[in-house]
Amino acid sequence: MFPKLIVAPMAGGPSTPELVAGAANAGAYGFLAAGYLTPEAVAGQIALTKELTVEPFGVNVFVPGEESTADLSEYQQILELVYGTEPGDPAWTDDHYPAKIDVLVDNPVDTVSFTFGVPSADDVAELRGVGSKIVITVTSPDEARRAAEIGPDALCVQGFEAGAHRGIFVDDGSPSGAPAYGLLAALRMVSATVDLPLIAAGGLVHGADVAAVLTAGAVAAQLGTAFLQCPEAGTQPLHREALHGTRETAFTRAFSGRPARALVNRFVEANSALAPAAYPQVNSMTKPIRAAAAKEGDPEAMSLYAGQTYAYAPQGTVAEVVALLDTQMRAAIRSVATALDPASQK
Ligand SMILES: Cc1cc2nc3c(=O)[nH]c(=O)nc-3n(C[C@H](O)[C@H](O)[C@H](O)COP(=O)(O)O)c2cc1C
């Protein structure tokens, strides 16, 4: 159904047509990230990717949630006082969701994946009608049960190790926003709950990690952080630099109002306990501050999203990273098979 290796959608810049097409041309699979883009930009990226590869690829969309009723004024004041850049307008938006579905119906791709919730049965039927497969990200058995109701082709199971936003459907206001399961635990629990192909995501940066989740029953592994440093990715230079440092990662909703795993910087330390659970309003509020920090070369107020194992991410072009992961995966599987049954490998 999918190649074993999937380059994750990474909204906010890292995902580019070059990264996705490079993955596809190297025998892997990639997702463009429609999040935060205008519908026109999504259509443009799809067209460009189709120029760069004849292989199948997917597009990921954020499902809009309920508008939070949290009071944003205190956080707004703190941001104004501390950062000297006017925070952005905290208006709720649906990230142009209906228009993006229209773009995907008019410009069909192999797979449409959804994060932060479950699409409507009508949207799924329309996308299926133009030949797209449907994938939904889940982080728990409960979400898997709800996602399974609309009959997706596969689920992407995201463990708490994963970089950037948790795919949780509802943010309960706790630091992780909802129960946080490690990837292997989540795979075990979800596979016992629904009978669907599972794509595993979270903290996978080595071929042996990919072998581990395939052994645990996943049909493919989706890696984000492992590809953040590829030259084809649109990752900001200061973000790339920080990935060579030694910062811890932590959940924070300081940047967006929704729990996400980021490298710990001063913004995370100062604001994680203060930020209201209000996505995407907080994301809009902090956008000018993050942009000013990037312009000034200050990583301390940028959202440096990364998975727990970022320090072990491979280096190289997307084709080189795909080839390395494939070699490592095969070596890991061979080595376990040999250890279990030395005679069969002679
Ligand atoms: C910078 C960044 C941006 C991301 N953006 C998205 C996104 O737009 N949509 C999505 O479904 N997942 C997104 N993810 C999460 C990935 O789909 C995946 O769950 C995660 O990368 C797996 O963990 P890893 O980063 O440790 O490989 C993003 C991850 C990163 C690192």
Side-chain angles (χ1 to χ4, degrees):
M1 172 183 215
F2 289 103
K4 300 284 177 247
L5 279 171
I6 298 177
V7 179
M10 292 186 281
S15 286
T16 60
E18 290 77 12
L19 185 70
V20 171
N25 291 334
Y29 195 93
F31 280 93
L32 292 171
Y36 314 132
L37 296 181
T38 62
E40 296 73 31
V42 176
Q45 289 206 359
I46 293 172
L48 186 48
T49 309
K50 286 182 177 172
E51 277 175 30
L52 298 174
T53 185
V54 295
E55 301 299 332
F57 64 93
V59 175
N60 173 259
V61 190
F62 293 161
V63 179
E66 296 282 308
E67 182 172 352
S68 159
T69 53
D71 179 16
L72 305 174
S73 56
E74 201 178 323
Y75 197 50
Q76 174 114 5
Q77 271 172 12
I78 291 166
L79 294 176
E80 262 167 23
L81 281 173
V82 178
Y83 295 97
T85 300
E86 187 68 20
D89 176 10
W92 184 88
T93 94
D94 64 3
D95 197 34
H96 309 290
Y97 179 79
K100 286 179 186 176
I101 299 295
D102 290 345
V103 164
L104 291 165
V105 171
D106 294 341
N107 305 267
V109 293
D110 181 65
T111 304
V112 179
S113 74
F114 293 88
T115 306
F116 304 162
V118 182
S120 73
D122 285 350
D123 288 344
V124 168
E126 239 193 318
L127 293 166
R128 279 251 169 74
V130 296
S132 298
K133 299 195 283 278
I134 305 293
V135 172
I136 301 174
T137 297
V138 301
T139 64
S140 67
D142 181 48
E143 289 174 354
R145 208 173 287 117
R146 288 166 59 190
E149 283 169 14
I150 57 105
D153 295 276
L155 299 180
C156 176
V157 178
Q158 187 196 47
F160 68 47
E161 306 89 339
H165 287 107
R166 303 199 65 212
I168 54 174
F169 295 178
V170 177
D171 182 353
D172 66 14
S174 67
S176 57
Y181 301 110
L183 179 55
L184 280 181
L187 277 176
R188 181 60 49 226
M189 295 162 90
V190 169
S191 65
T193 306
V194 296
D195 186 16
L196 283 168
L198 305 180
I199 298 165
L204 311 173
V205 285
H206 190 284
D209 307 341
V210 176
V213 294
L214 296 180
T215 310
V219 296
Q222 177 166 303
L223 288 68
T225 301
F227 293 97
L228 270 178
Q229 296 178 62
C230 293
E232 295 90 342
T235 313
Q236 300 214 31
L238 287 175
H239 193 173
R240 288 175 191 268
E241 220 171 273
L243 293 168
H244 291 283
T246 56
R247 296 173 195 264
E248 277 295 331
T249 68
F251 288 139
T252 182
R253 52 170 78 70
F255 298 110
S256 72
R258 165 180 256 288
R261 186 174 293 284
L263 301 182
V264 175
N265 58 9
R266 281 209 288 280
F267 199 94
V268 171
E269 281 171 344
N271 300 320
S272 292
L274 309 172
Y279 176 91
Q281 296 95 313
V282 172
N283 198 61
S284 308
M285 284 160 72
T286 66
K287 194 173 170 187
I289 297 167
R290 290 180 278 125
K295 208 164 149 204
E296 286 157 18
D298 174 17
E300 297 302 332
M302 288 172 62
S303 54
L304 306 170
Y305 291 134
Q308 283 188 315
T309 48
Y310 75 91
Y312 307 96
Q315 307 293 314
T317 64
V318 60
E320 286 166 351
V321 173
V322 166
L324 176 68
L325 292 168
D326 186 73
T327 305
Q328 291 170 336
M329 173 188 75
R330 287 169 196 280
I333 291 169
R334 260 198 315 273
S335 133
V336 175
T338 310
L340 288 175
D341 189 5
S344 74
Q345 301 296 316
K346 284 201 177 129

